[in-house]
Amino acid sequence: MYRVTIAYGHPTDPTAFDEYYTTTHLPIAGKIPGVQRFAGGKCDSLDGNPPAAYFLAEIFFASKDDAAAGFGSEEGQAAAADIGNFATGGASLYFSNEDITNP
């Protein structure tokens, strides 16, 4: 599997971020071709300190080539362009191969 992780910084208006993400952005991003699995959630901490990011989204593809094709597609470009509409805390993208899994 090949994973794209998007770390969203803390937004200026968390309620607006949550609403836009679920009602507008997810339907756009859900059209990216080649997606095998999606997972996302708000960040938390175990020690009570504020987490470094507000929300993490993980998008899984069968291969790096599939990820490149998905994000290079019209649907992938639309999803990327939409990030600026709600991610007031910024967003960082990380690309990684799933080299190790357990179990």
Side-chain angles (χ1 to χ4, degrees):
M1 295 295 280
Y2 192 79
R3 174 183 18 232
V4 177
T5 303
I6 306 167
Y8 292 98
H10 293 275
T12 54
D13 183 345
T15 302
F17 176 99
D18 296 347
E19 176 70 20
Y20 190 95
Y21 191 87
T22 57
T23 62
T24 303
H25 186 68
L26 277 182
I28 294 169
K31 296 177 183 174
I32 297 172
V35 173
Q36 299 281 310
R37 185 169 79 86
F38 168 83
K42 291 182 185 176
C43 296
D44 201 356
S45 72
L46 296 177
D47 63 5
N49 287 317
Y54 178 72
F55 189 91
L56 292 180
E58 292 184 304
I59 306 168
F60 295 86
F61 295 87
S63 68
K64 182 178 181 178
D65 288 341
D66 287 351
F71 278 96
S73 71
E74 185 176 317
E75 297 87 350
Q77 292 298 302
D82 188 49
I83 290 174
N85 293 327
F86 67 94
T88 56
S92 299
L93 280 75
Y94 302 94
F95 305 90
S96 62
N97 194 40
E98 195 169 69
D99 296 319
I100 301 169
T101 60
N102 186 19

